[in-house]
């Protein structure tokens, strides 16, 4: 029987430490999820990829390959059904597969801020009450607090991303098999916090380049 209450206990956090060469796709559908055509792409179901696309709504996001055939695959968790937003034929680009993952170990806290809806406030002369209409959403930032462990393998990877400001992706694997993909720009504090009788920690910050995607377990 599945747990009644979802708990993060046992979750594992990873960072993409290396990517394979970009794979071009020659077609993409308006669907949920969209299907791309890429001859002999060589990807397997579940492979995590970063996207480069002419569609701003999905470019610089991370997703996983699904329903794979020799020349096509679906982009799990994405939706491109609105032709007004996703102009047919304009979304061509590249899939950039993750080739190596490295665990970010000894995580003590994981928090997400932003992503909330902003509103335009309008008041007409004849109105007693102002009105609101939705506009944009605030950008999302992920903060990960980790035990200070300078010899851990992931530290150099994160520090390199912090220096180069290259785009990468974090993957949070939940105990129930679900995965959350967080694409973005990673940085890490240069020195740990130090307070008597408290754990020394550093903070990894991820400024997301696009909305996260959740891949539900089969």
């Amino acid at each position: 029987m599945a747990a009644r209450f979802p708990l993060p206990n046992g979750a594992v956090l990873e960072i993409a430490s290396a990517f394979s060469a970009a794979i071009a796709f020659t077609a993409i559908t308006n669907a949920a999820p969209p299907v791309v055509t890429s001859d002999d792409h060589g990807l397997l179901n579940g492979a995590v990829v970063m996207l480069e696309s002419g569609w701003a709504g999905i470019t610089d996001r991370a997703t996983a390959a699904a329903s794979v055939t020799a020349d096509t695959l679906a982009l799990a968790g994405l939706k491109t059904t609105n032709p007004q937003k996703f102009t047919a034929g304009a979304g061509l680009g590249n899939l950039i597969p993750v080739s190596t993952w490295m665990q970010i170990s000894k995580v003590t806290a994981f928090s997400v801020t932003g992503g909330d809806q902003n509103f335009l406030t309008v008041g007409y002369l004849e109105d007693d009450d102002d009105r609101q209409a939705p506009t944009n959403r605030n950008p999302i930032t992920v903060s990960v607090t980790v035990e200070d462990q300078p010899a851990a393998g992931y530290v150099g990877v994160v520090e390199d991303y912090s220096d180069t400001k290259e785009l990468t992706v974090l993957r949070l694997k939940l105990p129930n098999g679900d995965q959350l993909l967080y694409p973005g720009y990673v940085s890490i504090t240069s020195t740990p916090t130090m307070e008597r009788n408290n754990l020394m920690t550093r903070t990894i910050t991820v400024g997301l380049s696009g909305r996260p995607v959740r891949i539900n377990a089969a």
Side-chain angles (χ1 to χ4, degrees), residues 102-103 147 149-160 188 202:
M102 184 167 288
Q103 184 177 352
E147 179 182 318
Q149 36 183 342
Y154 77 83
V155 174
V157 172
V158 175
E159 289 177 336
D160 285 345
I188 187 170
R202 297 174 74 178

Side-chain angles (χ1 to χ4, degrees), residues 15-218:
I15 186 170
S17 57
F19 292 84
S20 300
I23 301 170
F25 55 89
T26 56
I28 183 169
T29 62
N30 292 91
V35 175
V36 300
T37 300
S38 178
D39 294 346
D40 299 319
H41 54 75
L43 297 176
L44 301 177
N45 280 314
V48 175
V49 297
M50 291 291 296
L51 281 170
E52 293 177 341
S53 171
W55 286 338
I58 64 170
T59 198
D60 293 339
R61 294 181 70 182
T63 182
S67 303
V68 171
T69 71
D71 300 322
T72 66
L73 58 91
L75 304 177
L78 300 184
K79 181 180 180 180
T80 59
T81 53
N82 185 351
Q84 296 294 104
K85 183 176 180 180
F86 300 99
T87 304
L92 304 186
N94 297 298
L95 309 171
I96 306 174
V98 176
S99 59
T100 308
W101 293 99
M102 184 167 288
Q103 184 177 352
I104 298 176
S105 59
K106 298 184 178 179
V107 175
T108 64
F110 185 101
S111 63
V112 180
T113 57
D116 46 312
Q117 181 71 57
N118 291 317
F119 294 89
L120 166 70
T121 300
V122 177
Y124 301 117
L125 289 178
E126 62 268 33
D127 279 345
D128 291 327
D129 302 311
D130 287 343
R131 308 162 186 245
Q132 287 188 320
T135 56
N136 63 302
R137 289 185 177 90
N138 289 325
I140 299 173
T141 301
V142 174
S143 294
V144 183
T145 306
V146 294
E147 179 182 318
D148 179 44
Q149 36 183 342
Y154 77 83
V155 174
V157 172
V158 175
E159 289 177 336
D160 285 345
Y161 279 125
S162 185
D163 290 339
T164 63
K165 297 177 173 58
E166 294 179 355
L167 195 61
T168 189
V169 57
L170 271 65
R171 175 170 69 177
L172 185 65
K173 300 189 295 187
L174 297 177
N176 68 351
D178 290 0
Q179 298 182 34
L180 288 159
L181 303 177
Y182 299 92
Y185 298 94
V186 179
S187 63
I188 187 170
T189 52
S190 57
T191 186
T193 60
M194 283 173 275
E195 184 177 351
R196 187 171 182 267
N197 295 328
N198 283 323
L199 186 69
M200 292 169 57
T201 62
R202 297 174 74 178
T203 300
I204 299 169
T205 302
V206 189
L208 265 59
S209 57
R211 292 185 190 175
V213 167
R214 184 168 187 151
I215 310 296
N216 293 326

